[in-house]
Amino acid sequence: MVEEDNLISFNILISLTSFMVFLILHLIIWRTRDSYRGVNLILILSVIVYPITTFLISLYSHSIIKIWLTLPIYYCLIILYVHLYIGLLKSVSIRILEELYSSPNFEMTRKEIENIYPVKDMVLNRLSLLEENNWIEEENGSYRCLKKAIITAKVNLLLHKIYRLKNTG
């Protein structure tokens, strides 16, 4: 039983080591290359780092590496990291909290907040991004969903119904 516990601990350590290597590489690339920011970098690194780290550890270890144990733990850590990363990168609420925190006495008027983060610009920036990525198209001042937006909206609305969510986003 003790040997099996050690084997499980060893495999968990492999997951944690792989994640730490991923995290260090992601932070180095993210801080040194402006053009390599986004979820695609996380995806590519997460797929590359795990097999390389696991292989290198297996060269110096006499224990059996159980991929069925290490891989799910590694990708759970990656998923948690992606949620944190996207939250920090894209969250309007977090951005407002940061502005409030940076202000004297941690407070601002609504007008001061809108001067820093204009509501109109926020909507227009998102519409531009959706149009750029072929989710919507604009014609004569009206916006229309394209095929992938329709599919995404249907799935999202179904999930809203399942989870009984009203207003999100």
Side-chain angles (χ1 to χ4, degrees):
M1 185 70 171
V2 172
E3 188 174 314
E4 187 174 320
D5 287 345
N6 286 339
L7 186 58
I8 290 172
S9 297
F10 172 73
N11 281 279
I12 291 172
L13 187 62
I14 289 172
S15 300
L16 294 173
T17 303
S18 297
F19 179 72
M20 291 308 296
V21 170
F22 157 81
L23 183 62
I24 291 166
L25 284 174
H26 184 247
L27 291 174
I28 289 170
I29 293 169
W30 199 88
R31 303 234 348 140
T32 59
R33 306 273 185 183
D34 286 339
S35 60
Y36 289 106
R37 294 188 175 182
V39 179
N40 289 337
L41 174 62
I42 293 173
L43 175 65
I44 292 166
L45 275 178
S46 69
V47 169
I48 292 171
V49 166
Y50 176 80
I52 292 172
T53 307
T54 305
F55 175 73
L56 290 173
I57 291 171
S58 72
L59 292 177
Y60 298 101
S61 169
H62 299 293
S63 296
I64 298 168
I65 297 174
K66 295 186 176 182
I67 303 241
W68 59 267
L69 177 64
T70 59
L71 191 61
I73 293 170
Y74 172 74
Y75 277 107
C76 282
L77 293 169
I78 295 294
I79 289 168
L80 289 172
Y81 181 72
V82 167
H83 283 284
L84 172 70
Y85 179 82
I86 291 172
L88 291 172
L89 189 65
K90 299 286 184 184
S91 175
V92 175
S93 301
I94 296 294
R95 168 86 188 272
I96 291 169
L97 290 175
E98 288 172 355
E99 295 296 340
L100 287 169
Y101 176 78
S102 299
S103 66
N105 296 325
F106 308 120
E107 66 181 26
M108 299 170 78
T109 65
R110 183 178 181 146
K111 180 106 172 116
E112 289 172 322
I113 294 169
E114 287 177 354
N115 286 338
I116 294 170
Y117 207 60
V119 174
K120 183 179 178 185
D121 288 349
M122 182 176 66
V123 172
L124 292 176
N125 288 342
R126 282 172 171 70
L127 286 171
S128 294
L129 186 62
L130 288 168
E131 194 172 8
E132 241 176 68
N133 291 307
N134 297 316
W135 289 86
I136 63 172
E137 66 181 4
E138 187 263 334
E139 190 175 308
N140 301 322
S142 292
Y143 293 92
R144 184 176 49 156
C145 286
L146 297 175
K147 188 175 183 175
K148 68 180 180 178
I150 291 169
I151 294 167
T152 302
K154 284 180 179 180
V155 169
N156 198 42
L157 289 171
L158 174 65
L159 292 172
H160 280 208
K161 195 179 270 186
I162 291 169
Y163 291 112
R164 298 176 63 194
L165 300 172
K166 294 200 190 291
N167 297 323
T168 62

